[in-house]
Amino acid sequence: MADESETRTTTDHDEIRRWVEENGGSPASVRGTEKGDDDAGVLRVDFPGGAGEDQLEHVSWDDWFAKFDASDLAFLYQAQRSGGGGSTFFKLVRR
């Protein structure tokens, strides 16, 4: 039997988007870290109760994934909390 709090790592855009949206998040970047008009900056996910609008700027999924792929990143996330229920734990890691 798998540990319910296990982490998973993926580069699948649909899986990432589904997990983020199921947990109430949206794609974002750290405000002020962009390097030009076509750069999303340092990637984050904005969850309710997180860093908020003063630090994060919402970006489109297309822009988020373009930066994700260009930066050769993978998405490591906790499928659910050890006690059950949704989790918002994730990290962006090098592939």
Side-chain angles (χ1 to χ4, degrees):
M1 183 169 164
D3 179 3
E4 291 179 353
S5 65
E6 77 178 278
T7 57
R8 299 180 187 160
T9 303
T10 186
T11 57
D12 182 272
H13 293 191
D14 292 334
E15 182 179 350
I16 294 166
R17 184 175 184 160
R18 183 172 45 254
W19 181 86
V20 168
E21 291 177 350
E22 283 175 358
N23 288 288
S26 55
S29 68
V30 177
R31 192 178 300 282
T33 60
E34 312 84 11
K35 293 182 178 81
D37 292 339
D38 295 334
D39 184 75
V42 176
L43 297 180
R44 295 288 185 263
V45 173
D46 187 16
F47 290 107
E53 292 294 322
D54 55 336
Q55 295 178 23
L56 299 179
E57 182 172 342
H58 289 168
V59 297
S60 71
W61 276 116
D62 287 343
D63 289 346
W64 198 93
F65 284 123
K67 174 74 176 209
F68 177 82
D69 289 335
S71 299
D72 209 26
L73 297 174
F75 192 85
L76 180 144
Y77 69 99
Q78 184 179 30
Q80 59 181 225
R81 297 177 196 266
S82 58
S87 172
T88 57
F89 173 80
F90 80 97
K91 286 172 44 171
L92 296 172
V93 297
R94 295 265 175 227
R95 291 185 191 172

